Amino acid sequence: MLRRGDSAATSTSRDGDRATGAAVGKRTLVEQLEAPEPQSSASFVAAPSGASPTTTGPSGTAGDSEPRAHDVKQPGALPRLQLKDIPPKPTTSRDKGSTGGQHEAAVQRSPAHPNAGATAPSSGMWEHTFGEASTPVGKLGRVQAPKGVYLRVRPMPGAESPGAPIPFNGLVYVERKTTQGHANERWCYVIATEAGTAGFCEERYLAIDPPEPTAALRRTTAGERLATIAEAAYGPATDESNSRLQVQALYLANRDRAGVKLDHVDLSLKDRALRGGDEEETLKIYNGAKVIAGDSIWIPSKPFIEQLKAAGAVTNGSTYVTEAWNKAKGVAGGVIDGAKYVAGFIVGLLEGAYNAIVDLFKGAVDMVEAVLKVIWNLVTDNPGRIKDMVMGWVDKMKVAWEHRGELADEFLNKWNADSMCDRGLFQGEVLGWVAMTVLLILVTMGEDAPAALAGIAVRWPQLVKLLKTVDTLGDVTTYLGAAAKVVNMPGKAAGFVAGKLGKAERGAVRAAGHVSNNAEHAIKDAEHGAAHGAHGPKTPHESARHAVGEHETVKVRGLAQAPKTYPWTKNPEGVVRTAADVRRIAGEHGVEIPHDIEVFAVQAKWLPPDSYAQYMGRDFLSGKRVSWEEFYNKYDNIAVKISKDILDSDEAIVAVMAHEMHELNGLRKVFTARETIAVEELGRMINPGHKGNLHDQAWSVADTLVAAMRARGHR
Amino acid sequence: MIDDLAELVAMYNEGSWAWGDFVHQVTLLIPEVAVHTIIDQLPDALRDDFVTWLRTTYENDVPADSFVSIGRQSHPEQQRIRLELLRAWLRAHPSSKNRQ
């Protein structure tokens, strides 16, 4: 639906205390860094032996989780950073945010995963990132979609994707997934470790949890047999034993996948074969095993096969098979250390960035939600870009830490942890925290930011050298400056930051206003020339802040859009179109309107307040699944109602129809693939307030077409 | 018939509304128009289906703010008032199945 004055304005809402609630109970990086008074004398010490708040051991208070099911080690196997005089607080798995007392209700609606990772919880972070319940996965996977898969900024079809698709067989680390009942409906948050980026994709496009960490996916063709695939993958077998090993490994790697079947083999025989009762028969069977064309199967790597071979014959019995397999897995797992590091780094980066917000607004919990709404998508929309930035700091920081006396060994131990996953996680967390802190200061303090950074330095002297050495302000400005300039922080938040950093609140508000004014100018420049013969009495809501309820509203310009071509030009000589004209005019200017769309011009009173058009407007019971049929009227058409008020402007007609049809055409694609979708998901696709959704994209489409009309001099 | 209701019905009959949108729009006439007035004045061909839809949708204890609005901004307080009135009518007019 297209609304009058639709804007990205969002306000803190009844769920505004979720994230803060989650954050309150978490021991964040700053809480660990922050020294008791006098702060300048703070120093790092390792947690006492036995009190180290690790989470992997059975004695862990909250993190007594079982080892993860796959090869990636528990990130939390490393002790958490601990300050002298601060009692060690057992941290929980980062996926176990609900275990910590006062923030139990916080954020994670889904139950904690028993095998969750083990750094401090950032369940509020995931709540904000997903926008719905999610549950930990923590497994490697590969892309099984033949043409690859886009990583999207939101868990919804058609959401923006900042990068190129991750190709078939691309390695990913699946961090979390949504909680729908069927894999076809679930979305995963994945880190594409080779591309160095992260985002959402549908679970069905992934093959999760490879049989061994270095296994790759291979597309299959009709009539292929495991024997020929094995030969292609590993070269001609040197002897019968070797051949048997290879095909059996292929079969075992894929026995839970749909891609392999054994033809003309009864189950009992197959079972016997798996037990290795008759090796000759086993070889015959495996050689005869067919694969299903058009699917994909796991191909264990050659080094893995070699490890398997070294561990003993696969056909020596099922127990032995498992032992040999696991042993070989452990050895081969080292090959993907780099992938683990990248995965850990990006997850850590998100956690650190989230923690920075929580830290900076500690004591002002009501602001955290508002600030997250403004700032969080700067991180999650393209985490790969921020990763590139902060990874560049890692080398620079080595120089800074030559004088490591200021830093506890514990910190450095974590920084250089043996486990690449742990190392990446910790480095990402620290640097994500720094980046976000600097960014927050930048957007709240504006021109006073350099001075404010000095304020941080006083408060947390451990970071002085780090901040100065890596020139964080410069880098953050380079990477995030453009986005930061269009961020309007709530005035209260800006004032809070100023106060916290010892600056005059008045100055901070002025600085925030300065940033806001710059954004205003930029947008006005972009819209230059748009306002000729304006349609409508006023522009959409353009003010930087609106009071909504007890909170101020925040707005990110240029991210969630308003129509930049508004106001729309009225037709010369007051020409008013009819409903029949609408379809023709919109079509002439590039709006795709399928035959089953029927346009009705109606009085504004039949549309929601401040709206120009509508094709669906109703309430659903929560959890209801909506079908495409429900969009249709009794004549099997979809009625698009547009306001009679816009019939005097062809620009408005094109913009409004472009908007409605972009949403409807997008939904049609979704419903072509899926019979029904949950109403909550439908809302996220087409209701305002969800950045990057169909509604949001529709503004861009509408603007493009209207701009083209103007370029052609349409009147 | 009340003008707005008559107009809505005419629009529905000409195809301007899908069924779900139409019945929802009818409920938006409440509280300005009483529930029993709406039901009384609906055409025979629509009345039973409307009441059936009311029962399916609102004969429950789901809070007003737990409904998910699509295509229009939700106004929980107005919705709460509507729900109270609709549920009061539904309680006063149990279905024949319930009466048995």
Side-chain angles (χ1 to χ4, degrees):
Chain A
M1 180 181 69
L2 185 142
R3 298 165 184 272
R4 300 171 204 246
D6 203 354
S7 76
T10 52
S11 63
T12 49
S13 57
R14 59 190 163 82
D15 56 353
D17 57 352
R18 290 183 308 192
T20 54
V24 168
K26 179 182 185 306
R27 185 169 178 78
T28 63
L29 190 63
V30 161
E31 287 173 314
Q32 296 168 85
L33 288 172
E34 197 169 1
E37 295 295 337
Q39 289 147 349
S40 60
S41 64
S43 61
F44 295 100
V45 295
S49 176
S52 177
T54 57
T55 61
T56 51
S59 61
T61 302
D64 44 349
S65 55
E66 297 170 9
R68 287 189 179 199
H70 77 108
D71 62 296
V72 178
K73 285 181 66 178
Q74 291 272 36
L78 203 65
R80 301 291 293 175
L81 196 61
Q82 186 59 48
L83 277 176
K84 187 169 67 176
D85 300 332
I86 297 181
K89 177 180 177 182
T91 54
T92 64
S93 155
R94 67 175 184 272
D95 300 315
K96 284 189 154 187
S98 62
T99 58
Q102 61 178 321
H103 58 296
E104 177 161 345
V107 241
Q108 202 51 48
R109 286 172 285 178
S110 57
H113 191 289
N115 295 330
T119 63
S122 284
S123 46
M125 176 193 91
W126 290 115
E127 180 80 4
H128 276 276
T129 305
F130 272 86
E132 63 180 289
S134 64
T135 188
V137 178
K139 292 180 178 177
L140 289 170
R142 288 189 183 266
V143 173
Q144 66 178 355
K147 295 180 180 177
V149 67
Y150 283 97
L151 298 188
R152 303 187 183 278
V153 300
R154 296 283 177 275
M156 63 182 63
E160 188 183 346
S161 173
I166 308 304
F168 172 78
N169 193 40
L171 183 64
V172 297
Y173 181 83
V174 185
E175 175 66 17
R176 294 183 79 89
K177 64 183 179 183
T178 57
T179 57
Q180 289 82 4
H182 300 288
N184 277 353
E185 300 171 323
R186 289 195 291 264
W187 285 75
C188 296
Y189 188 83
V190 305
I191 295 103
T193 57
E194 288 152 347
T197 189
F200 292 95
C201 73
E202 291 169 81
E203 183 178 335
R204 61 191 163 129
Y205 296 139
L206 302 174
I208 300 174
D209 200 13
E212 55 93 3
T214 57
L217 283 178
R218 178 188 185 278
R219 298 282 296 165
T220 55
T221 55
E224 279 194 298
R225 293 176 185 278
L226 288 187
T228 55
I229 293 173
E231 187 167 332
Y234 310 120
T238 52
D239 54 42
E240 189 178 278
S241 169
N242 205 26
S243 174
R244 181 171 59 247
L245 174 79
Q246 291 174 356
V247 291
Q248 188 170 5
L250 276 182
Y251 183 79
L252 293 174
N254 291 282
R255 57 182 163 178
D256 294 329
R257 267 182 85 72
V260 176
K261 63 175 182 177
L262 283 174
D263 272 357
H264 312 299
V265 178
D266 64 64
L267 283 176
S268 59
L269 188 55
K270 190 175 81 171
D271 289 345
R272 283 206 303 278
L274 286 174
R275 287 196 297 269
D278 183 333
E279 293 194 1
E280 220 173 281
E281 188 65 17
T282 302
L283 178 60
K284 181 180 166 188
I285 290 166
Y286 287 131
N287 279 337
K290 286 181 178 176
V291 297
I292 297 171
D295 213 316
S296 55
I297 64 169
W298 290 113
I299 307 289
S301 68
K302 201 167 180 178
F304 177 79
I305 295 293
E306 294 302 319
Q307 290 294 333
L308 207 55
K309 192 176 176 182
V314 172
T315 52
N316 282 355
S318 59
T319 303
Y320 193 79
V321 168
T322 304
E323 289 174 3
W325 195 280
N326 288 337
K327 189 175 178 184
K329 259 171 82 169
V331 175
V335 177
I336 54 151
D337 272 351
K340 295 178 189 173
Y341 173 77
V342 172
F345 195 95
I346 290 184
V347 171
L349 186 152
L350 293 174
E351 292 186 349
Y354 183 88
N355 293 343
I357 296 170
V358 173
D359 286 337
L360 198 55
F361 292 94
K362 193 165 71 173
V365 291
D366 59 320
M367 291 183 197
V368 172
E369 181 79 5
V371 172
L372 281 166
K373 281 181 184 289
V374 177
I375 212 91
W376 191 236
N377 55 14
L378 295 183
V379 177
T380 56
D381 281 5
N382 196 349
R385 191 175 61 157
I386 301 174
K387 184 233 21 168
D388 290 343
M389 171 181 71
V390 295
M391 271 193 168
W393 298 351
V394 175
D395 288 338
K396 296 178 183 177
M397 290 168 68
K398 287 178 184 170
V399 178
W401 290 347
E402 284 175 355
H403 307 288
R404 60 176 61 190
E406 296 176 12
L407 295 167
D409 286 344
E410 190 62 29
F411 186 92
L412 289 174
N413 288 342
K414 288 182 177 183
W415 189 265
N416 300 310
D418 291 337
S419 158
M420 294 303 281
C421 188
D422 291 344
R423 184 184 300 187
L425 195 66
F426 187 72
Q427 291 184 2
E429 186 178 354
V430 170
L431 296 180
W433 185 93
V434 171
M436 180 54 79
T437 300
V438 173
L439 179 64
L440 286 169
I441 291 170
L442 210 61
V443 298
T444 53
M445 303 292 288
E447 61 196 8
D448 292 339
L453 279 173
I456 282 190
V458 169
R459 186 159 182 76
W460 301 302
Q462 299 84 358
L463 295 176
V464 175
K465 198 176 292 292
L466 185 150
L467 286 166
K468 285 181 178 173
T469 304
V470 303
D471 188 21
T472 47
L473 180 59
D475 280 357
V476 172
T477 304
T478 301
Y479 279 82
L480 297 173
K485 282 177 184 169
V486 295
V487 170
N488 284 326
M489 290 290 279
K492 282 170 65 179
F496 184 86
V497 172
K500 184 154 188 169
L501 298 175
K503 306 297 292 183
E505 182 166 343
R506 188 177 56 187
V509 173
R510 175 173 54 79
H514 174 73
V515 174
S516 169
N517 289 339
N518 284 345
E520 199 76 36
H521 290 149
I523 285 176
K524 285 194 184 307
D525 287 345
E527 293 173 348
H528 180 68
H532 34 156
H535 177 277
K538 59 181 180 180
T539 58
H541 301 163
E542 288 288 346
S543 61
R545 295 182 271 274
H546 315 275
V548 176
E550 61 185 273
H551 300 293
E552 289 180 292
T553 302
V554 294
K555 179 177 178 180
V556 182
R557 292 183 186 282
L559 294 176
Q561 301 174 343
K564 294 183 173 61
T565 53
Y566 193 96
W568 297 305
T569 308
K570 285 190 177 182
N571 295 331
E573 302 172 8
V575 172
V576 177
R577 307 295 187 179
T578 65
D581 293 331
V582 168
R583 188 183 190 98
R584 175 183 57 79
I585 292 167
E588 285 173 356
H589 290 89
V591 180
E592 181 191 345
I593 307 178
H595 70 279
D596 60 353
I597 301 296
E598 193 169 4
V599 180
F600 295 89
V602 303
Q603 294 177 62
K605 70 176 181 178
W606 297 120
L607 299 171
D610 299 327
S611 295
Y612 285 123
Q614 186 185 53
Y615 55 85
M616 174 178 269
R618 63 185 97 159
D619 291 347
F620 290 90
L621 283 165
S622 178
K624 166 93 165 55
R625 299 196 67 80
V626 183
S627 68
W628 183 235
E629 285 69 31
E630 292 178 70
F631 287 74
Y632 283 77
N633 65 16
K634 62 180 181 177
Y635 304 110
D636 286 336
N637 290 316
I638 297 177
V640 174
K641 294 181 284 295
I642 65 169
S643 170
K644 287 181 175 176
D645 292 350
I646 66 167
L647 295 178
D648 60 353
S649 167
D650 287 1
E651 284 188 1
I653 288 169
V654 170
V656 169
M657 286 303 295
H659 186 107
E660 300 303 294
M661 292 317 305
H662 180 79
E663 290 185 4
L664 271 171
N665 293 339
L667 287 174
R668 190 187 295 268
K669 287 179 186 170
V670 172
F671 280 104
T672 299
R674 297 159 62 185
E675 196 170 329
T676 62
I677 60 176
V679 65
E680 287 83 0
E681 186 178 358
L682 177 64
R684 288 194 298 275
M685 289 182 193
I686 59 174
N687 280 349
H690 302 275
K691 186 192 167 304
N693 70 356
L694 286 171
H695 172 84
D696 202 15
Q697 298 165 12
W699 286 118
S700 297
V701 175
D703 281 336
T704 300
L705 295 185
V706 173
M709 289 175 75
R710 290 174 181 171
R712 288 194 297 267
H714 176 84
R715 287 289 182 274
Chain B
M1 189 187 295
I2 294 164
D3 289 348
D4 277 354
L5 184 58
E7 196 174 345
L8 267 177
V9 170
M11 290 171 72
Y12 171 72
N13 285 329
E14 70 176 5
S16 294
W17 303 97
W19 171 255
D21 297 338
F22 166 69
V23 289
H24 178 73
Q25 194 69 34
V26 169
T27 65
L28 297 184
L29 299 175
I30 304 166
E32 284 75 14
V33 182
V35 179
H36 67 83
T37 304
I38 289 173
I39 290 171
D40 288 348
Q41 295 198 5
L42 272 173
D44 293 345
L46 298 176
R47 184 181 300 114
D48 287 350
D49 286 344
F50 178 73
V51 172
T52 299
W53 175 82
L54 280 184
R55 293 196 190 284
T56 304
T57 310
Y58 297 123
E59 205 163 49
N60 49 48
D61 57 0
V62 176
D65 60 2
S66 292
F67 285 83
V68 180
S69 292
I70 296 295
R72 59 184 312 128
Q73 205 164 8
S74 62
H75 298 282
E77 183 55 25
Q78 295 172 30
Q79 173 76 344
R80 187 186 62 76
I81 294 168
R82 271 187 219 109
L83 248 64
E84 282 183 9
L85 294 169
L86 283 165
R87 284 169 173 161
W89 186 90
L90 290 169
R91 282 194 299 273
H93 301 80
S95 66
S96 55
K97 183 180 172 184
N98 289 346
R99 281 199 296 268
Q100 291 166 0

